[in-house]
Amino acid sequence: MAKLLWKPSEERIKNSNMYKFIQFINDKYGTKFTEYRPLYQWSIENIPEFWASFWDFADIKYSKSYDSIVDDLTKMPGTKWFEGAMLNFAENLLRYRDDHTAFIFKGETQKSAKMSYAELYDTVARLAKSLRQIGISPGDRVAAYMPNMMETAIAMLAATSIGATWASCATDIGSGAAIDRLGQIEPRVLFTVDGYFYKAKAFNSLGNAAEIAKGIPS
């Protein structure tokens, strides 16, 4: 038998979301689960109850609750979940507005940067306001030709917070490939950068961004 390399402390276990969720299920259904595997077995034998419980445990933010958990478990693919519910993806991700760290960015050749949840909420709100001012509304598509950085996630949250649909592709693909991908959805806004770093080298992406903007009339 393999030697156990590490075991979390009792305090760490009791502070974990898994432990708290197990207690939540035990309190709600009178079960006596103490570890993951029995909970997993219960979850696949009681699918609607499990997901209804997780909805409550996760404190999902919504404007309208669901009418039903799932319509037909035998229909896969095609099963509909949480029919009738109305919620915003970004509202749930932006529920925290305190000084705890939301993002840590470490660029390949740049200094690292951090952003708190309070700073994130404020930045997203200001960008969302700008999107509204130029006429972006629910159902519009917003795209990005961006590398993996905080600003990309901020733009995504701003777009989805007002009901827009988000799509993105990385700056390391060519303009033709980006046009093929993003052109299909006819985005009204394109977020981009002037360049990116790869293997300690700087690459200018403005030329590609200009070609993408020209190649997507919307």
Side-chain angles (χ1 to χ4, degrees), residues 66-80:
Y66 54 84
D67 298 320
S68 63
I69 300 294
V70 58
D71 66 338
D72 185 355
L73 287 170
T74 65
K75 188 170 58 178
M76 197 65 82
T79 300
K80 294 181 180 179

Side-chain angles (χ1 to χ4, degrees), residues 25 40 69 74 77 142 147 192 194:
I25 294 295
Y40 169 72
I69 300 294
T74 65
V142 174
T192 191
D194 59 358

Side-chain angles (χ1 to χ4, degrees), residues 6-186:
W6 176 80
K7 183 179 180 180
S9 65
E10 234 7 75
E11 181 183 5
R12 186 161 186 166
I13 290 172
K14 290 183 177 180
N15 282 330
S16 70
N17 282 327
M18 179 58 71
Y19 180 89
K20 293 174 182 177
F21 184 55
I22 288 175
Q23 301 313 306
F24 182 88
I25 294 295
N26 286 341
D27 292 342
K28 186 172 183 178
Y29 294 100
T31 52
K32 297 181 180 180
F33 302 134
T34 58
E35 57 182 33
Y36 171 79
R37 292 187 184 279
L39 172 66
Y40 169 72
Q41 188 60 39
W42 181 86
S43 75
I44 59 178
E45 293 172 354
N46 302 272
I47 292 175
E49 291 83 0
F50 172 81
W51 286 107
S53 298
F54 185 78
W55 174 285
D56 294 336
F57 176 78
D59 191 24
I60 301 296
K61 306 298 180 184
Y62 57 87
S63 56
K64 181 180 180 298
S65 187
Y66 54 84
D67 298 320
S68 63
I69 300 294
V70 58
D71 66 338
D72 185 355
L73 287 170
T74 65
K75 188 170 58 178
M76 197 65 82
T79 300
K80 294 181 180 179
W81 295 86
F82 298 104
E83 281 194 281
M86 295 184 68
L87 56 85
N88 186 280
F89 176 74
E91 181 184 9
N92 280 274
L93 291 179
L94 295 169
R95 67 175 65 198
Y96 305 114
R97 301 173 193 178
D98 54 27
D99 292 329
H100 284 85
T101 302
F103 284 127
I104 299 175
F105 172 75
K106 291 188 178 181
E108 188 176 319
T109 61
Q110 303 295 308
K111 293 181 179 180
S112 63
K114 292 184 179 181
M115 178 175 283
S116 69
Y117 277 101
E119 291 170 328
L120 175 62
Y121 183 85
D122 179 67
T123 305
V124 169
R126 287 187 285 112
L127 184 53
K129 181 180 179 181
S130 295
L131 288 171
R132 287 193 182 95
Q133 287 175 338
I134 62 173
I136 300 303
S137 58
D140 287 335
R141 275 77 63 196
V142 174
Y145 184 57
M146 299 269 285
N148 186 10
M149 57 196 302
M150 289 193 294
E151 288 79 2
T152 307
I154 290 166
M156 177 276 291
L157 289 168
T160 54
S161 73
I162 58 178
T165 299
W166 172 263
S168 67
C169 57
T171 44
D172 58 1
I173 70 170
S175 57
I179 291 170
D180 288 343
R181 294 186 190 185
L182 302 178
Q184 299 178 58
I185 61 170
E186 299 182 343

